[in-house]
Amino acid sequence: MPDTRPQIRLTQVVKDFGTTRVIDHLDLSIPQGQKVALIGPSGSGKSTVLRLIKGLESYQHGQIEVAGAPVPEPPRGWRWPGPRQPTVHRVGMVFQQFNLFPHLTVLENVIEAPLQVLRLSRDETVERAHAYLTMVGMAHKIDAYPATLSGGQQQRVAIARALAMRPQVMLFDEVTSALDPERVGEVLAVIRRIAHEQQMTLLLVTHEMKFAREVADRVLFMEHGRIVADGSPERVLVNPENERTRRFLNLVAHH
Ligand SMILES: Nc1ncnc2c1ncn2[C@@H]1O[C@H](COP(=O)(O)OP(=O)(O)O)[C@@H](O)[C@H]1O
Ligand SMILES: [Mg+2]
């Protein structure tokens, strides 16, 4: 029997920051292996959705599950971004700001979590690091420190670091937004490759609409903490029925 449970499931999730409702009774179900693009205006709650799935945010109401298991909330008083917390290892996340450890080499950055969290042997983690750094085209920089790398190179190392945990789900939050324009392509190429070659579930926030159309099976348009359009890239991006989606796409296209 194939496993038909959704890989990611949010049920009636509510997230408030103070008196501001940021996520408003959100329902979302993503099957295993689906590649989903999440788009929408700034402040609509896209990053918050990703952080909730990764277990980096508490919430007021509802349920969040990954692979059938509840996502634990962070300890009381812990706020993102903050010191390390017992997070969801089956979910990998890559951020807009690469967040590499500046005092560690590329290799040390990639093996740190498999060593400390998964408790793998050093040989095994080094082998994994080589494989994923090769995949992102960064094996030649294995002994470099992050500060000596371009933004695109740092972001590719951050992707290898997330993959080295062999997550079931990968979350990408506007991972090209902080890059120089000439560096965007190399990072998108890596994600495109992951989308086409890996069986894992992908949820990616992006403003690159052409890219979203290429890699996504499904596009979600978010506004005011709700999903207001949900469908194939053709339906949501090419011929949007939703008036607000249409206006947003016009804005992005003329940006
Ligand atoms: N730590 C925080 N404290 C207070 N408000 C926050 C915090 N993080 C996000 N917000 C607010 O939540 C809303 C959604 O933010 P976010 O999920 O980052 O949106 P997006 O990623 O779509 O731009 C915004 O109004 C933002 O100002
Ligand atoms: Mg965001």
Side-chain angles (χ1 to χ4, degrees), residues 70-131:
V71 172
E73 290 184 66
R76 192 175 284 274
W78 188 92
R79 285 192 75 178
W80 189 92
R84 287 214 127 178
Q85 61 131 11
T87 175
V88 186
H89 309 136
R90 52 193 189 277
V91 178
M93 184 157 174
V94 183
F95 301 86
Q96 184 175 333
Q97 296 297 342
F98 335 117
N99 295 354
L100 295 176
F101 305 115
H103 59 291
L104 300 181
T105 65
V106 165
L107 178 67
E108 289 162 349
N109 262 280
V110 177
I111 68 175
E112 197 261 1
L115 269 179
Q116 303 298 329
V117 178
L118 302 181
R119 306 259 168 217
L120 299 179
S121 73
R122 194 180 160 85
D123 285 353
E124 197 172 344
T125 61
V126 170
E127 201 174 303
R128 270 196 197 190
H130 272 283

Side-chain angles (χ1 to χ4, degrees), residues 140-227:
H140 63 301
K141 291 288 188 180
I142 207 148
D143 294 320
Y145 283 89
T148 67
L149 304 176
S150 71
Q153 290 177 321
Q154 289 185 56
Q155 196 58 296
R156 286 186 282 143
V157 172
I159 292 170
R161 181 175 64 173
L163 289 173
M165 292 292 281
R166 303 248 169 98
Q168 295 169 299
V169 171
M170 278 283 279
L171 308 173
F172 293 93
D173 193 359
E174 293 194 39
V175 297
T176 59
S177 300
L179 299 178
D180 294 332
E182 66 270 26
R183 291 293 187 172
V184 169
E186 68 194 56
V187 173
L188 292 184
V190 165
I191 300 173
R192 202 178 281 120
R193 195 168 155 199
I194 295 169
H196 292 145
E197 291 178 9
Q198 309 273 322
Q199 300 306 308
M200 69 185 71
T201 309
L202 297 192
L203 178 56
L204 50 104
V205 176
T206 182
H207 291 301
E208 310 270 347
M209 296 304 150
K210 184 170 163 284
F211 175 68
R213 251 162 64 193
E214 285 167 13
V215 300
D217 308 319
R218 175 181 177 192
V219 177
L220 309 172
F221 179 77
M222 205 167 170
E223 196 177 58
H224 303 310
R226 293 164 172 264
I227 291 166

Side-chain angles (χ1 to χ4, degrees), residues 17 20 22-23 40-49 51 57 79-80 173-174 205:
F17 282 114
T20 309
V22 173
I23 300 298
S42 177
S44 57
K46 305 179 299 296
S47 295
T48 304
V49 169
R51 294 203 305 265
E57 294 280 2
R79 285 192 75 178
W80 189 92
D173 193 359
E174 293 194 39
V205 176

